[in-house]
mmCIF file with all atom_site columns, all heavy atoms in Angstrom:
data_model
loop_
_atom_site.group_PDB
_atom_site.id
_atom_site.type_symbol
_atom_site.label_atom_id
_atom_site.label_alt_id
_atom_site.label_comp_id
_atom_site.label_asym_id
_atom_site.label_entity_id
_atom_site.label_seq_id
_atom_site.pdbx_PDB_ins_code
_atom_site.Cartn_x
_atom_site.Cartn_y
_atom_site.Cartn_z
_atom_site.occupancy
_atom_site.B_iso_or_equiv
_atom_site.pdbx_formal_charge
_atom_site.auth_seq_id
_atom_site.auth_comp_id
_atom_site.auth_asym_id
_atom_site.auth_atom_id
_atom_site.pdbx_PDB_model_num
ATOM 1   N N   . MET A 1 1  ? -0.934 -1.419 2.169   1.00 81.00 ? 7  MET A N   1
ATOM 2   C CA  . MET A 1 1  ? -2.149 -1.025 1.469   1.00 81.00 ? 7  MET A CA  1
ATOM 3   C C   . MET A 1 1  ? -2.752 0.209  2.156   1.00 81.00 ? 7  MET A C   1
ATOM 4   O O   . MET A 1 1  ? -2.826 0.270  3.381   1.00 81.00 ? 7  MET A O   1
ATOM 5   C CB  . MET A 1 1  ? -3.175 -2.157 1.474   1.00 81.00 ? 7  MET A CB  1
ATOM 6   C CG  . MET A 1 1  ? -2.692 -3.479 0.874   1.00 81.00 ? 7  MET A CG  1
ATOM 7   S SD  . MET A 1 1  ? -2.360 -3.407 -0.901  1.00 81.00 ? 7  MET A SD  1
ATOM 8   C CE  . MET A 1 1  ? -0.562 -3.513 -0.910  1.00 81.00 ? 7  MET A CE  1
ATOM 9   N N   . GLN A 1 2  ? -3.176 1.174  1.356   1.00 75.00 ? 8  GLN A N   1
ATOM 10  C CA  . GLN A 1 2  ? -3.806 2.370  1.909   1.00 75.00 ? 8  GLN A CA  1
ATOM 11  C C   . GLN A 1 2  ? -5.053 2.033  2.719   1.00 75.00 ? 8  GLN A C   1
ATOM 12  O O   . GLN A 1 2  ? -5.370 2.698  3.700   1.00 75.00 ? 8  GLN A O   1
ATOM 13  C CB  . GLN A 1 2  ? -4.146 3.339  0.766   1.00 75.00 ? 8  GLN A CB  1
ATOM 14  C CG  . GLN A 1 2  ? -5.184 4.401  1.090   1.00 75.00 ? 8  GLN A CG  1
ATOM 15  C CD  . GLN A 1 2  ? -4.711 5.382  2.151   1.00 75.00 ? 8  GLN A CD  1
ATOM 16  O OE1 . GLN A 1 2  ? -3.554 5.403  2.506   1.00 75.00 ? 8  GLN A OE1 1
ATOM 17  N NE2 . GLN A 1 2  ? -5.627 6.197  2.650   1.00 75.00 ? 8  GLN A NE2 1
ATOM 18  N N   . THR A 1 3  ? -5.763 0.975  2.339   1.00 69.00 ? 9  THR A N   1
ATOM 19  C CA  . THR A 1 3  ? -6.973 0.591  3.061   1.00 69.00 ? 9  THR A CA  1
ATOM 20  C C   . THR A 1 3  ? -6.658 -0.153 4.345   1.00 69.00 ? 9  THR A C   1
ATOM 21  O O   . THR A 1 3  ? -7.565 -0.481 5.107   1.00 69.00 ? 9  THR A O   1
ATOM 22  C CB  . THR A 1 3  ? -7.853 -0.325 2.186   1.00 69.00 ? 9  THR A CB  1
ATOM 23  O OG1 . THR A 1 3  ? -7.083 -1.477 1.791   1.00 69.00 ? 9  THR A OG1 1
ATOM 24  C CG2 . THR A 1 3  ? -8.336 0.409  0.949   1.00 69.00 ? 9  THR A CG2 1
ATOM 25  N N   . GLY A 1 4  ? -5.390 -0.430 4.583   1.00 70.00 ? 10 GLY A N   1
ATOM 26  C CA  . GLY A 1 4  ? -5.002 -1.247 5.728   1.00 70.00 ? 10 GLY A CA  1
ATOM 27  C C   . GLY A 1 4  ? -4.928 -0.477 7.026   1.00 70.00 ? 10 GLY A C   1
ATOM 28  O O   . GLY A 1 4  ? -5.276 0.703  7.127   1.00 70.00 ? 10 GLY A O   1
ATOM 29  N N   . ALA A 1 5  ? -4.438 -1.189 8.054   1.00 70.00 ? 11 ALA A N   1
ATOM 30  C CA  . ALA A 1 5  ? -4.339 -0.617 9.388   1.00 70.00 ? 11 ALA A CA  1
ATOM 31  C C   . ALA A 1 5  ? -3.266 0.467  9.432   1.00 70.00 ? 11 ALA A C   1
ATOM 32  O O   . ALA A 1 5  ? -2.306 0.460  8.660   1.00 70.00 ? 11 ALA A O   1
ATOM 33  C CB  . ALA A 1 5  ? -4.015 -1.716 10.399  1.00 70.00 ? 11 ALA A CB  1
ATOM 34  N N   . GLN A 1 6  ? -3.447 1.400  10.365  1.00 69.00 ? 12 GLN A N   1
ATOM 35  C CA  . GLN A 1 6  ? -2.499 2.500  10.513  1.00 69.00 ? 12 GLN A CA  1
ATOM 36  C C   . GLN A 1 6  ? -1.085 1.972  10.795  1.00 69.00 ? 12 GLN A C   1
ATOM 37  O O   . GLN A 1 6  ? -0.102 2.499  10.272  1.00 69.00 ? 12 GLN A O   1
ATOM 38  C CB  . GLN A 1 6  ? -2.956 3.408  11.661  1.00 69.00 ? 12 GLN A CB  1
ATOM 39  C CG  . GLN A 1 6  ? -2.096 4.652  11.860  1.00 69.00 ? 12 GLN A CG  1
ATOM 40  C CD  . GLN A 1 6  ? -2.302 5.685  10.776  1.00 69.00 ? 12 GLN A CD  1
ATOM 41  O OE1 . GLN A 1 6  ? -3.295 5.628  10.046  1.00 69.00 ? 12 GLN A OE1 1
ATOM 42  N NE2 . GLN A 1 6  ? -1.382 6.617  10.659  1.00 69.00 ? 12 GLN A NE2 1
ATOM 43  N N   . ALA A 1 7  ? -0.987 0.930  11.613  1.00 73.00 ? 13 ALA A N   1
ATOM 44  C CA  . ALA A 1 7  ? 0.328  0.387  11.952  1.00 73.00 ? 13 ALA A CA  1
ATOM 45  C C   . ALA A 1 7  ? 1.050  -0.121 10.712  1.00 73.00 ? 13 ALA A C   1
ATOM 46  O O   . ALA A 1 7  ? 2.272  0.032  10.586  1.00 73.00 ? 13 ALA A O   1
ATOM 47  C CB  . ALA A 1 7  ? 0.174  -0.747 12.967  1.00 73.00 ? 13 ALA A CB  1
ATOM 48  N N   . ALA A 1 8  ? 0.315  -0.724 9.789   1.00 79.00 ? 14 ALA A N   1
ATOM 49  C CA  . ALA A 1 8  ? 0.921  -1.224 8.555   1.00 79.00 ? 14 ALA A CA  1
ATOM 50  C C   . ALA A 1 8  ? 1.421  -0.073 7.696   1.00 79.00 ? 14 ALA A C   1
ATOM 51  O O   . ALA A 1 8  ? 2.522  -0.131 7.137   1.00 79.00 ? 14 ALA A O   1
ATOM 52  C CB  . ALA A 1 8  ? -0.092 -2.073 7.783   1.00 79.00 ? 14 ALA A CB  1
ATOM 53  N N   . ARG A 1 9  ? 0.639  0.976  7.601   1.00 77.00 ? 15 ARG A N   1
ATOM 54  C CA  . ARG A 1 9  ? 1.050  2.120  6.782   1.00 77.00 ? 15 ARG A CA  1
ATOM 55  C C   . ARG A 1 9  ? 2.286  2.797  7.367   1.00 77.00 ? 15 ARG A C   1
ATOM 56  O O   . ARG A 1 9  ? 3.129  3.316  6.635   1.00 77.00 ? 15 ARG A O   1
ATOM 57  C CB  . ARG A 1 9  ? -0.098 3.120  6.651   1.00 77.00 ? 15 ARG A CB  1
ATOM 58  C CG  . ARG A 1 9  ? -1.282 2.576  5.879   1.00 77.00 ? 15 ARG A CG  1
ATOM 59  C CD  . ARG A 1 9  ? -2.284 3.647  5.537   1.00 77.00 ? 15 ARG A CD  1
ATOM 60  N NE  . ARG A 1 9  ? -2.849 4.298  6.698   1.00 77.00 ? 15 ARG A NE  1
ATOM 61  C CZ  . ARG A 1 9  ? -3.786 5.240  6.658   1.00 77.00 ? 15 ARG A CZ  1
ATOM 62  N NH1 . ARG A 1 9  ? -4.241 5.638  5.481   1.00 77.00 ? 15 ARG A NH1 1
ATOM 63  N NH2 . ARG A 1 9  ? -4.265 5.775  7.746   1.00 77.00 ? 15 ARG A NH2 1
ATOM 64  N N   . GLU A 1 10 ? 2.389  2.808  8.683   1.00 78.00 ? 16 GLU A N   1
ATOM 65  C CA  . GLU A 1 10 ? 3.546  3.418  9.336   1.00 78.00 ? 16 GLU A CA  1
ATOM 66  C C   . GLU A 1 10 ? 4.795  2.572  9.125   1.00 78.00 ? 16 GLU A C   1
ATOM 67  O O   . GLU A 1 10 ? 5.902  3.091  8.997   1.00 78.00 ? 16 GLU A O   1
ATOM 68  C CB  . GLU A 1 10 ? 3.281  3.568  10.837  1.00 78.00 ? 16 GLU A CB  1
ATOM 69  C CG  . GLU A 1 10 ? 2.174  4.552  11.200  1.00 78.00 ? 16 GLU A CG  1
ATOM 70  C CD  . GLU A 1 10 ? 2.626  5.990  11.087  1.00 78.00 ? 16 GLU A CD  1
ATOM 71  O OE1 . GLU A 1 10 ? 3.824  6.219  10.870  1.00 78.00 ? 16 GLU A OE1 1
ATOM 72  O OE2 . GLU A 1 10 ? 1.775  6.895  11.217  1.00 78.00 ? 16 GLU A OE2 1
ATOM 73  N N   . ALA A 1 11 ? 4.642  1.248  9.083   1.00 82.00 ? 17 ALA A N   1
ATOM 74  C CA  . ALA A 1 11 ? 5.796  0.352  9.022   1.00 82.00 ? 17 ALA A CA  1
ATOM 75  C C   . ALA A 1 11 ? 6.387  0.247  7.626   1.00 82.00 ? 17 ALA A C   1
ATOM 76  O O   . ALA A 1 11 ? 7.598  0.067  7.470   1.00 82.00 ? 17 ALA A O   1
ATOM 77  C CB  . ALA A 1 11 ? 5.401  -1.040 9.520   1.00 82.00 ? 17 ALA A CB  1
ATOM 78  N N   . GLY A 1 12 ? 5.560  0.326  6.585   1.00 83.00 ? 18 GLY A N   1
ATOM 79  C CA  . GLY A 1 12 ? 6.052  0.154  5.219   1.00 83.00 ? 18 GLY A CA  1
ATOM 80  C C   . GLY A 1 12 ? 6.828  1.360  4.739   1.00 83.00 ? 18 GLY A C   1
ATOM 81  O O   . GLY A 1 12 ? 6.713  2.462  5.282   1.00 83.00 ? 18 GLY A O   1
ATOM 82  N N   . ASN A 1 13 ? 7.660  1.155  3.706   1.00 84.00 ? 19 ASN A N   1
ATOM 83  C CA  . ASN A 1 13 ? 8.341  2.299  3.091   1.00 84.00 ? 19 ASN A CA  1
ATOM 84  C C   . ASN A 1 13 ? 7.713  2.676  1.758   1.00 84.00 ? 19 ASN A C   1
ATOM 85  O O   . ASN A 1 13 ? 8.236  3.502  1.029   1.00 84.00 ? 19 ASN A O   1
ATOM 86  C CB  . ASN A 1 13 ? 9.838  2.040  2.921   1.00 84.00 ? 19 ASN A CB  1
ATOM 87  C CG  . ASN A 1 13 ? 10.152 0.697  2.302   1.00 84.00 ? 19 ASN A CG  1
ATOM 88  O OD1 . ASN A 1 13 ? 9.355  0.164  1.534   1.00 84.00 ? 19 ASN A OD1 1
ATOM 89  N ND2 . ASN A 1 13 ? 11.300 0.134  2.634   1.00 84.00 ? 19 ASN A ND2 1
ATOM 90  N N   . MET A 1 14 ? 6.597  2.035  1.451   1.00 87.00 ? 20 MET A N   1
ATOM 91  C CA  . MET A 1 14 ? 5.754  2.439  0.323   1.00 87.00 ? 20 MET A CA  1
ATOM 92  C C   . MET A 1 14 ? 4.303  2.244  0.728   1.00 87.00 ? 20 MET A C   1
ATOM 93  O O   . MET A 1 14 ? 3.990  1.358  1.521   1.00 87.00 ? 20 MET A O   1
ATOM 94  C CB  . MET A 1 14 ? 6.035  1.594  -0.930  1.00 87.00 ? 20 MET A CB  1
ATOM 95  C CG  . MET A 1 14 ? 7.375  1.821  -1.567  1.00 87.00 ? 20 MET A CG  1
ATOM 96  S SD  . MET A 1 14 ? 7.498  0.937  -3.151  1.00 87.00 ? 20 MET A SD  1
ATOM 97  C CE  . MET A 1 14 ? 9.234  1.233  -3.527  1.00 87.00 ? 20 MET A CE  1
ATOM 98  N N   . VAL A 1 15 ? 3.429  3.075  0.181   1.00 85.00 ? 21 VAL A N   1
ATOM 99  C CA  . VAL A 1 15 ? 1.997  2.944  0.422   1.00 85.00 ? 21 VAL A CA  1
ATOM 100 C C   . VAL A 1 15 ? 1.295  2.893  -0.926  1.00 85.00 ? 21 VAL A C   1
ATOM 101 O O   . VAL A 1 15 ? 1.443  3.802  -1.747  1.00 85.00 ? 21 VAL A O   1
ATOM 102 C CB  . VAL A 1 15 ? 1.442  4.113  1.259   1.00 85.00 ? 21 VAL A CB  1
ATOM 103 C CG1 . VAL A 1 15 ? -0.063 3.960  1.445   1.00 85.00 ? 21 VAL A CG1 1
ATOM 104 C CG2 . VAL A 1 15 ? 2.131  4.187  2.617   1.00 85.00 ? 21 VAL A CG2 1
ATOM 105 N N   . ASP A 1 16 ? 0.559  1.806  -1.148  1.00 86.00 ? 22 ASP A N   1
ATOM 106 C CA  . ASP A 1 16 ? -0.212 1.659  -2.381  1.00 86.00 ? 22 ASP A CA  1
ATOM 107 C C   . ASP A 1 16 ? -1.571 2.312  -2.169  1.00 86.00 ? 22 ASP A C   1
ATOM 108 O O   . ASP A 1 16 ? -2.408 1.802  -1.437  1.00 86.00 ? 22 ASP A O   1
ATOM 109 C CB  . ASP A 1 16 ? -0.375 0.175  -2.720  1.00 86.00 ? 22 ASP A CB  1
ATOM 110 C CG  . ASP A 1 16 ? -1.219 -0.052 -3.967  1.00 86.00 ? 22 ASP A CG  1
ATOM 111 O OD1 . ASP A 1 16 ? -1.513 0.942  -4.659  1.00 86.00 ? 22 ASP A OD1 1
ATOM 112 O OD2 . ASP A 1 16 ? -1.585 -1.202 -4.235  1.00 86.00 ? 22 ASP A OD2 1
ATOM 113 N N   . LEU A 1 17 ? -1.772 3.464  -2.799  1.00 79.00 ? 23 LEU A N   1
ATOM 114 C CA  . LEU A 1 17 ? -2.998 4.228  -2.591  1.00 79.00 ? 23 LEU A CA  1
ATOM 115 C C   . LEU A 1 17 ? -4.217 3.542  -3.177  1.00 79.00 ? 23 LEU A C   1
ATOM 116 O O   . LEU A 1 17 ? -5.348 3.865  -2.810  1.00 79.00 ? 23 LEU A O   1
ATOM 117 C CB  . LEU A 1 17 ? -2.846 5.633  -3.188  1.00 79.00 ? 23 LEU A CB  1
ATOM 118 C CG  . LEU A 1 17 ? -1.681 6.461  -2.634  1.00 79.00 ? 23 LEU A CG  1
ATOM 119 C CD1 . LEU A 1 17 ? -1.630 7.815  -3.318  1.00 79.00 ? 23 LEU A CD1 1
ATOM 120 C CD2 . LEU A 1 17 ? -1.782 6.619  -1.131  1.00 79.00 ? 23 LEU A CD2 1
ATOM 121 N N   . ASP A 1 18 ? -4.016 2.584  -4.092  1.00 78.00 ? 24 ASP A N   1
ATOM 122 C CA  . ASP A 1 18 ? -5.131 1.846  -4.679  1.00 78.00 ? 24 ASP A CA  1
ATOM 123 C C   . ASP A 1 18 ? -5.392 0.525  -3.972  1.00 78.00 ? 24 ASP A C   1
ATOM 124 O O   . ASP A 1 18 ? -6.345 -0.179 -4.302  1.00 78.00 ? 24 ASP A O   1
ATOM 125 C CB  . ASP A 1 18 ? -4.871 1.563  -6.167  1.00 78.00 ? 24 ASP A CB  1
ATOM 126 C CG  . ASP A 1 18 ? -4.848 2.834  -6.998  1.00 78.00 ? 24 ASP A CG  1
ATOM 127 O OD1 . ASP A 1 18 ? -5.554 3.783  -6.615  1.00 78.00 ? 24 ASP A OD1 1
ATOM 128 O OD2 . ASP A 1 18 ? -4.123 2.876  -7.996  1.00 78.00 ? 24 ASP A OD2 1
ATOM 129 N N   . SER A 1 19 ? -4.505 0.149  -3.040  1.00 75.00 ? 25 SER A N   1
ATOM 130 C CA  . SER A 1 19 ? -4.635 -1.109 -2.287  1.00 75.00 ? 25 SER A CA  1
ATOM 131 C C   . SER A 1 19 ? -4.787 -2.302 -3.226  1.00 75.00 ? 25 SER A C   1
ATOM 132 O O   . SER A 1 19 ? -5.644 -3.155 -3.047  1.00 75.00 ? 25 SER A O   1
ATOM 133 C CB  . SER A 1 19 ? -5.826 -1.031 -1.318  1.00 75.00 ? 25 SER A CB  1
ATOM 134 O OG  . SER A 1 19 ? -5.639 -0.005 -0.378  1.00 75.00 ? 25 SER A OG  1
ATOM 135 N N   . ASP A 1 20 ? -3.914 -2.351 -4.218  1.00 76.00 ? 26 ASP A N   1
ATOM 136 C CA  . ASP A 1 20 ? -3.924 -3.432 -5.200  1.00 76.00 ? 26 ASP A CA  1
ATOM 137 C C   . ASP A 1 20 ? -2.611 -4.196 -5.091  1.00 76.00 ? 26 ASP A C   1
ATOM 138 O O   . ASP A 1 20 ? -1.553 -3.675 -5.455  1.00 76.00 ? 26 ASP A O   1
ATOM 139 C CB  . ASP A 1 20 ? -4.078 -2.858 -6.610  1.00 76.00 ? 26 ASP A CB  1
ATOM 140 C CG  . ASP A 1 20 ? -4.014 -3.919 -7.699  1.00 76.00 ? 26 ASP A CG  1
ATOM 141 O OD1 . ASP A 1 20 ? -3.977 -5.117 -7.363  1.00 76.00 ? 26 ASP A OD1 1
ATOM 142 O OD2 . ASP A 1 20 ? -3.996 -3.536 -8.880  1.00 76.00 ? 26 ASP A OD2 1
ATOM 143 N N   . PRO A 1 21 ? -2.626 -5.443 -4.578  1.00 69.00 ? 27 PRO A N   1
ATOM 144 C CA  . PRO A 1 21 ? -1.374 -6.160 -4.369  1.00 69.00 ? 27 PRO A CA  1
ATOM 145 C C   . PRO A 1 21 ? -0.604 -6.429 -5.652  1.00 69.00 ? 27 PRO A C   1
ATOM 146 O O   . PRO A 1 21 ? 0.618  -6.558 -5.621  1.00 69.00 ? 27 PRO A O   1
ATOM 147 C CB  . PRO A 1 21 ? -1.824 -7.475 -3.717  1.00 69.00 ? 27 PRO A CB  1
ATOM 148 C CG  . PRO A 1 21 ? -3.245 -7.652 -4.144  1.00 69.00 ? 27 PRO A CG  1
ATOM 149 C CD  . PRO A 1 21 ? -3.803 -6.270 -4.211  1.00 69.00 ? 27 PRO A CD  1
ATOM 150 N N   . THR A 1 22 ? -1.314 -6.529 -6.776  1.00 68.00 ? 28 THR A N   1
ATOM 151 C CA  . THR A 1 22 ? -0.607 -6.776 -8.029  1.00 68.00 ? 28 THR A CA  1
ATOM 152 C C   . THR A 1 22 ? 0.177  -5.535 -8.470  1.00 68.00 ? 28 THR A C   1
ATOM 153 O O   . THR A 1 22 ? 0.965  -5.613 -9.410  1.00 68.00 ? 28 THR A O   1
ATOM 154 C CB  . THR A 1 22 ? -1.589 -7.184 -9.143  1.00 68.00 ? 28 THR A CB  1
ATOM 155 O OG1 . THR A 1 22 ? -2.494 -6.101 -9.408  1.00 68.00 ? 28 THR A OG1 1
ATOM 156 C CG2 . THR A 1 22 ? -2.397 -8.400 -8.732  1.00 68.00 ? 28 THR A CG2 1
ATOM 157 N N   . LYS A 1 23 ? -0.053 -4.409 -7.795  1.00 78.00 ? 29 LYS A N   1
ATOM 158 C CA  . LYS A 1 23 ? 0.685  -3.181 -8.117  1.00 78.00 ? 29 LYS A CA  1
ATOM 159 C C   . LYS A 1 23 ? 2.185  -3.381 -7.922  1.00 78.00 ? 29 LYS A C   1
ATOM 160 O O   . LYS A 1 23 ? 2.988  -2.612 -8.467  1.00 78.00 ? 29 LYS A O   1
ATOM 161 C CB  . LYS A 1 23 ? 0.175  -2.059 -7.222  1.00 78.00 ? 29 LYS A CB  1
ATOM 162 C CG  . LYS A 1 23 ? 0.707  -0.671 -7.553  1.00 78.00 ? 29 LYS A CG  1
ATOM 163 C CD  . LYS A 1 23 ? 0.091  -0.107 -8.807  1.00 78.00 ? 29 LYS A CD  1
ATOM 164 C CE  . LYS A 1 23 ? -1.382 0.148  -8.591  1.00 78.00 ? 29 LYS A CE  1
ATOM 165 N NZ  . LYS A 1 23 ? -1.686 1.142  -7.585  1.00 78.00 ? 29 LYS A NZ  1
ATOM 166 N N   . VAL A 1 24 ? 2.564  -4.394 -7.149  1.00 78.00 ? 30 VAL A N   1
ATOM 167 C CA  . VAL A 1 24 ? 3.991  -4.624 -6.899  1.00 78.00 ? 30 VAL A CA  1
ATOM 168 C C   . VAL A 1 24 ? 4.740  -4.872 -8.199  1.00 78.00 ? 30 VAL A C   1
ATOM 169 O O   . VAL A 1 24 ? 5.943  -4.616 -8.290  1.00 78.00 ? 30 VAL A O   1
ATOM 170 C CB  . VAL A 1 24 ? 4.180  -5.799 -5.925  1.00 78.00 ? 30 VAL A CB  1
ATOM 171 C CG1 . VAL A 1 24 ? 3.894  -7.135 -6.596  1.00 78.00 ? 30 VAL A CG1 1
ATOM 172 C CG2 . VAL A 1 24 ? 5.595  -5.803 -5.356  1.00 78.00 ? 30 VAL A CG2 1
ATOM 173 N N   . ILE A 1 25 ? 4.038  -5.336 -9.228  1.00 76.00 ? 31 ILE A N   1
ATOM 174 C CA  . ILE A 1 25 ? 4.688  -5.531 -10.526 1.00 76.00 ? 31 ILE A CA  1
ATOM 175 C C   . ILE A 1 25 ? 5.164  -4.192 -11.073 1.00 76.00 ? 31 ILE A C   1
ATOM 176 O O   . ILE A 1 25 ? 6.305  -4.043 -11.522 1.00 76.00 ? 31 ILE A O   1
ATOM 177 C CB  . ILE A 1 25 ? 3.728  -6.211 -11.514 1.00 76.00 ? 31 ILE A CB  1
ATOM 178 C CG1 . ILE A 1 25 ? 3.420  -7.629 -11.039 1.00 76.00 ? 31 ILE A CG1 1
ATOM 179 C CG2 . ILE A 1 25 ? 4.319  -6.242 -12.920 1.00 76.00 ? 31 ILE A CG2 1
ATOM 180 C CD1 . ILE A 1 25 ? 2.454  -8.370 -11.904 1.00 76.00 ? 31 ILE A CD1 1
ATOM 181 N N   . GLU A 1 26 ? 4.288  -3.180 -11.009 1.00 81.00 ? 32 GLU A N   1
ATOM 182 C CA  . GLU A 1 26 ? 4.694  -1.850 -11.459 1.00 81.00 ? 32 GLU A CA  1
ATOM 183 C C   . GLU A 1 26 ? 5.815  -1.296 -10.583 1.00 81.00 ? 32 GLU A C   1
ATOM 184 O O   . GLU A 1 26 ? 6.729  -0.627 -11.066 1.00 81.00 ? 32 GLU A O   1
ATOM 185 C CB  . GLU A 1 26 ? 3.501  -0.888 -11.438 1.00 81.00 ? 32 GLU A CB  1
ATOM 186 C CG  . GLU A 1 26 ? 2.549  -1.029 -12.607 1.00 81.00 ? 32 GLU A CG  1
ATOM 187 C CD  . GLU A 1 26 ? 1.487  -2.093 -12.355 1.00 81.00 ? 32 GLU A CD  1
ATOM 188 O OE1 . GLU A 1 26 ? 1.610  -2.818 -11.343 1.00 81.00 ? 32 GLU A OE1 1
ATOM 189 O OE2 . GLU A 1 26 ? 0.556  -2.199 -13.165 1.00 81.00 ? 32 GLU A OE2 1
#
């Protein structure tokens, strides 16, 4: 999530700029 911690953003291979978990459907 874009609103999340820096470590989380660094670890993921996607960043949801809207920080909406249901975005995973899209």
Side-chain angles (χ1 to χ4, degrees):
M7 303 294 109
Q8 161 65 11
T9 57
Q12 184 73 17
R15 294 191 299 182
E16 294 283 352
N19 48 28
M20 291 188 187
V21 178
D22 178 10
L23 302 179
D24 294 330
S25 298
D26 177 7
T28 63
K29 188 73 66 64
V30 73
I31 294 178
E32 282 86 351

